[in-house]
């Protein structure tokens, strides 16, 4: 599924020189600054008047590392990197579906839909929104860890679960803060429903 999804996405951009969205200009500028300075910049002045740590530092450093390792140009590197993470979305979709359904078949079907059956219009919603897409790659991991740990009662005594969730959550916040808000909403909804379900079972009939 991943191979097919990646092939579809690469074919769709075969005639493009850069990602076709205005946000890509800002992402390209910041990535270039990282490559040229060899470190994450303390300021974007005089180009941008925003706090560097608030504008997806995890995403930009990963793009810069990819471009340097691949030894390709900035526009091409951003385009290829974006399409790869676009195809990688099938794995968190699989994990999320399996976590809540307890079915690998449901996870594969969900990955198939996300990877091959709906490249449009879902493809366009992430056009130039690569930081959010990168965040969505991480989002299901802490959620899945907590759900599986809670269902097996391991969460009560296994500190590794909480450490792993904390690290994944911190990485998610560095990549995209809005995706972190999505995670908080999902966790809130899950634990509220869990609490309501348990209270129903505890009520004597």
């Amino acid at each position: 599924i991943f191979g097919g999804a990646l092939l579809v996405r690469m074919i769709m951009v075969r005639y493009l020189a850069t990602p076709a969205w205005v946000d890509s200009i800002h992402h390209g500028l910041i990535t270039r600054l990282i490559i040229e300075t060899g470190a994450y910049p303390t300021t974007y002045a005089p180009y941008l008047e925003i706090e560097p740590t608030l504008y997806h530092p995890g995403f930009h450093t990963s793009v810069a590392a990819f471009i340097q390792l691949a030894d390709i140009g900035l526009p091409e590197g951003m385009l290829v990197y974006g399409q790869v993470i676009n195809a990688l979305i099938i794995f968190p979709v699989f994990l999320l579906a399996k976590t809540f359904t307890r079915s690998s078949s449901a996870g594969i079907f969900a990955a198939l839909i996300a990877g091959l059956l709906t490249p449009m219009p879902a493809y366009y919603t992430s056009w130039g929104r690569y930081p959010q897409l990168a965040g969505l790659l991480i989002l299901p991991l802490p959620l899945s860890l907590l759900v599986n740990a809670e269902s097996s009662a391991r969460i009560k005594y296994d500190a590794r679960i909480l450490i792993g969730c904390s690290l994944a959550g911190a990485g998610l916040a560095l990549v995209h803060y809005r995706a972190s808000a999505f995670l908080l909403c999902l966790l809130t909804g899950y634990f509220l429903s869990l609490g309501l379900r348990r209270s129903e079972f505890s009520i004597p009939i």
Side-chain angles (χ1 to χ4, degrees):
I1 296 174
F2 171 72
L6 182 59
L7 179 63
V8 168
R9 282 151 177 76
M10 296 305 291
I11 289 175
M12 295 172 77
V13 300
R14 63 190 182 279
Y15 299 126
L16 294 179
T18 62
W21 195 271
V22 66
D23 283 8
S24 298
I25 299 174
H26 305 133
H27 300 324
L29 169 64
I30 296 170
T31 302
R32 185 179 297 280
L33 288 174
I34 296 172
I35 294 173
E36 290 178 350
T37 60
Y40 202 83
T42 57
T43 178
Y44 297 147
Y47 309 107
L48 297 172
E49 295 298 329
I50 57 176
E51 178 62 37
T53 57
L54 298 179
Y55 198 63
H56 321 311
F59 170 76
H60 294 124
T61 51
S62 64
V63 175
F66 170 77
I67 290 173
Q68 289 183 302
L69 290 172
D71 194 24
I72 55 180
L74 178 60
E76 181 185 2
M78 288 180 58
L79 191 61
V80 172
Y81 185 86
Q83 298 311 97
V84 170
I85 63 174
N86 200 310
L88 285 172
I89 200 66
I90 68 165
F91 295 106
V93 167
F94 170 85
L95 179 61
L96 196 62
K98 184 179 179 181
T99 297
F100 286 112
T101 65
R102 307 294 179 183
S103 170
S104 295
S105 298
I108 291 174
F109 184 66
L112 182 66
I113 292 174
L116 297 175
L117 302 185
T118 59
M120 300 290 186
Y123 174 76
Y124 276 127
T125 63
S126 61
W127 212 203
R129 304 289 181 177
Y130 293 148
Q132 180 170 308
L133 186 61
L136 295 179
L137 294 179
I138 305 173
L139 185 149
L141 181 58
L143 179 64
S144 179
L145 286 172
L146 284 175
V147 170
N148 290 323
E150 193 283 329
S151 63
S152 62
R154 292 176 58 201
I155 195 172
K156 296 180 179 180
Y157 60 86
D158 196 338
R160 294 175 297 178
I161 298 296
L162 296 179
I163 293 174
C165 290
S166 299
L167 290 174
L172 180 59
L174 286 173
V175 172
H176 203 282
Y177 53 85
R178 190 182 301 125
S180 299
F182 294 161
L183 174 62
L184 290 177
C185 291
L186 283 171
L187 289 174
T188 300
Y190 171 73
F191 284 111
L192 279 176
S193 65
L194 188 65
L196 290 173
R197 188 164 67 249
R198 287 181 173 177
S199 64
E200 291 177 358
F201 284 122
S202 62
I203 298 175
I205 300 177

